[in-house]
Amino acid sequence: MNRNPDVMIIGAGASGMIASVKAAERHKSVLLLDKNDTPGRKISASGNGRCNMMNSGALRYYGDQEFADHVLENSTADDIRHFFNQYGLMLASENEGRIYPSTFQSASVLSVLKNAMGINGVQLKSNTTVSSVSRQNDLFTVTDTNGRKWQSTKLIIACGSPAQPKLGGTDNGYELLSSLGHRIIPAVPSLVPLYTDRKSISGLSGIRVRGKVSLYDQDKLIHSEEGEILFTEYGISGICVMQCSRFIKDKSSYLSVNFLHGYYDKPEEFCHELKRRRNMYHEYSPVSLLDGVLVSRIAYAVMKQAGVPLKGEKAGELSDELLKAIAETAFHYRISIEGTRGFEYAQVAAGGADCREFDPKTMESTVMSGLYATGEVLNVDGDCGGFNLMFAFSSGLAAGKSV
Ligand SMILES: Cc1cc2nc3c(=O)[nH]c(=O)nc-3n(C[C@H](O)[C@H](O)[C@H](O)COP(=O)(O)OP(=O)(O)OC[C@H]3O[C@@H](n4cnc5c(N)ncnc54)[C@H](O)[C@@H]3O)c2cc1C
């Protein structure tokens, strides 16, 4: 009969792979199980194939944010860097603290992780979907969908989240942890584009502009972000929009876009400028007032939402009231949200296993000894910029060091 491995890990993604190497470096025999035919599918897809794997700036986590900060304090960005350097991966920095492999190819990160697993004798079983776990007399038994069973005294759940099922995203990790007595915070899609009302985005598909987006729920400001906004056929996207998505509750939410962010501080200031323009462009069409400030399709949309009659009028005929409305609308262009594009298009999930039931130094459960959880299966999600992979690597290192 085969000897049981010292450690079993369910999920050969970012956190599971790094945990497997770290445990195997300490001479533990490690069995890594994954439902996909190849490990690390999300690593391959990350950062548009470039893999934005870390960030050197201030930490930007949500959910159990303090827990995430503690994990990163104990297994630091330098530890992750050291790990990858040791196995031959060089890193490069870009703007906003974003760190990538120096090749700017996800494949390099994956190769190095797979090499490290091979060198340290990690046993990988692909095409293996775990359907249940149980524990008796300090021994975990893992069963897959074909009824095969494996046992060990240490078990790491590294199953990730339901984001992007086509890359292996499932909520299996929540089910497995819940069956072992853990609390799960219901997960919602995060870092995901938004469906919006058709009217406010009509004619804007394909436009990219910089601005500030603010998410409101029943007129209460929930979250603001600035950056590039992308208008699409179905709604709105761009990093700043996606970073608002985790806060969306229901259809009472709307986005307010400030197209003049960084150029004018207040609508009154811009209104003053519009009055100057009204004199200058007296004989021109109303939309000419926004020439040189907004791209023309956005200018039309702002005029429309502000209630400016666009046919037959001249700029010189617009009242002070209408100029005020144009300035207000350019600062607060309202877009109603119909919903997010769901887990199918989300980069991560907000929600997951309640981190109060885990130790941030070791990732061990405080509910059941010998059980660990790492990465996105936990109630931690980060902003774009490398924070999610960084948490996966950091928590994976922590678990691998302590199993
Ligand atoms: C398109 C895309 C782009 C992204 N880009 C970035 C980026 O540039 N920077 C960044 O920081 N983050 C990025 N992310 C997020 C990042 O990839 C994840 O946060 C990270 O991979 C999570 O690591 P993990 O180990 O927790 O889970 P995963 O990497 O998702 O691994 C989980 C593994 O568990 C396996 N699994 C699930 N259920 C079972 C089961 N029942 N039995 C066996 N195996 C199972 C899955 O097949 C998978 O291989 C991106 C995500 C996506 C989808």
Side-chain angles (χ1 to χ4, degrees):
M1 201 178 112
N2 284 344
R3 196 181 142 246
N4 287 335
D6 297 320
V7 183
M8 284 189 296
I9 303 177
I10 309 174
S15 69
M17 282 198 277
I18 202 167
S20 73
V21 175
K22 213 62 207 165
E25 278 177 357
R26 295 170 47 244
H27 310 293
K28 304 283 173 195
S29 55
V30 182
L31 175 63
L32 179 55
L33 307 167
D34 200 285
K35 68 196 256 302
N36 285 341
D37 52 356
T38 53
R41 292 281 303 278
K42 283 192 187 171
I43 294 179
S44 301
S46 68
N48 286 326
R50 286 160 33 110
C51 191
N52 179 194
M53 54 192 288
M54 290 204 288
N55 195 294
S56 57
L59 300 181
R60 295 180 61 160
Y61 290 107
Y62 305 100
D64 291 322
Q65 182 192 343
E66 272 183 35
F67 179 88
D69 293 353
H70 281 136
V71 173
L72 262 303
E73 263 164 36
N74 289 303
S75 292
T76 65
D78 276 345
D79 295 336
I80 301 171
R81 191 184 280 274
H82 176 77
F83 172 90
F84 280 107
N85 286 166
Q86 184 194 337
Y87 288 102
L89 186 78
M90 298 200 298
L91 304 180
S93 303
E94 263 200 357
N95 52 354
E96 295 168 355
R98 292 163 187 256
I99 297 172
Y100 295 83
S102 64
T103 56
F104 289 94
Q105 290 197 349
S106 311
S108 301
V109 180
L110 205 48
S111 301
V112 163
L113 279 170
K114 287 200 278 191
N115 294 347
M117 280 159 49
I119 292 165
N120 289 286
V122 172
Q123 196 196 345
L124 171 68
K125 268 199 192 303
S126 303
N127 298 312
T128 304
T129 305
V130 172
S131 52
S132 68
V133 291
S134 60
R135 191 171 84 151
Q136 237 181 353
N137 305 329
D138 291 341
L139 201 59
F140 289 98
T141 301
V142 161
T143 309
D144 81 349
T145 44
N146 292 323
R148 292 179 295 178
K149 291 185 193 299
W150 298 270
Q151 291 186 313
S152 67
T153 53
K154 307 276 181 182
L155 176 67
I156 302 177
I157 308 271
C159 293
S161 78
Q164 302 227 354
K166 60 180 178 290
L167 297 174
T170 65
D171 53 13
N172 293 173
Y174 305 155
E175 287 160 10
L176 298 177
L177 282 167
S178 166
S179 74
L180 294 172
H182 276 275
R183 261 197 311 266
I184 307 296
I185 314 295
V188 294
S190 180
L191 300 184
V192 62
L194 307 177
Y195 288 117
T196 65
D197 69 310
R198 294 274 141 177
K199 204 169 152 207
S200 58
I201 58 158
S202 160
L204 301 183
S205 174
I207 293 183
R208 284 174 190 272
V209 284
R210 289 196 70 80
K212 180 173 179 181
V213 290
S214 301
L215 177 72
Y216 287 84
D217 185 44
Q218 292 178 344
D219 295 337
K220 186 170 165 245
L221 177 65
I222 306 293
H223 192 71
S224 283
E225 291 280 343
E226 43 186 276
E228 194 177 64
I229 303 156
L230 169 63
F231 290 90
T232 66
E233 297 262 297
Y234 57 79
I236 183 167
S237 185
I239 289 177
C240 61
V241 171
M242 298 207 300
Q243 288 185 171
C244 288
S245 60
R246 77 179 303 290
F247 299 101
I248 289 169
K249 295 207 172 69
D250 53 38
K251 286 191 178 180
S252 58
S253 304
Y254 68 91
L255 283 180
S256 163
V257 182
N258 179 356
F259 291 116
L260 299 175
H261 180 66
Y263 296 99
Y264 291 92
D265 288 334
K266 291 188 196 135
E268 297 76 44
E269 216 184 295
F270 185 54
C271 190
H272 190 69
E273 166 63 6
L274 285 176
K275 286 180 184 164
R276 190 183 78 82
R277 287 171 178 239
R278 180 174 57 186
N279 291 337
M280 192 164 54
Y281 291 134
H282 203 264
E283 291 300 312
Y284 284 69
S285 69
V287 78
S288 316
L289 291 176
L290 297 175
D291 278 351
V293 198
L294 300 180
V295 297
S296 69
R297 283 194 278 159
I298 298 277
Y300 271 103
V302 166
M303 288 286 178
K304 233 161 89 186
Q305 194 169 94
V308 176
L310 290 173
K311 283 200 181 124
E313 299 263 334
K314 291 181 180 168
E317 291 164 359
L318 298 186
S319 65
D320 283 359
E321 276 310 298
L322 275 179
L323 293 195
K324 195 171 162 224
I326 297 169
E328 289 284 349
T329 309
F331 264 77
H332 303 290
Y333 188 79
R334 186 178 169 131
I335 301 176
S336 301
I337 296 166
E338 302 275 314
T340 74
R341 291 198 88 198
F343 280 120
E344 209 181 322
Y345 293 92
Q347 288 195 6
V348 294
D354 190 333
C355 297
R356 285 172 295 186
E357 298 176 339
F358 292 89
D359 178 343
K361 280 200 180 115
T362 61
M363 308 311 295
E364 186 168 12
S365 161
T366 52
V367 172
M368 183 178 279
S369 63
L371 175 67
Y372 299 73
T374 56
E376 228 189 285
V377 75
L378 292 161
N379 180 31
V380 169
D381 58 297
D383 272 341
C384 288
F387 295 101
N388 288 297
L389 279 172
M390 185 160 79
F391 179 72
F393 290 137
S394 168
S395 55
L397 278 182
K401 277 187 289 191
S402 48
V403 276

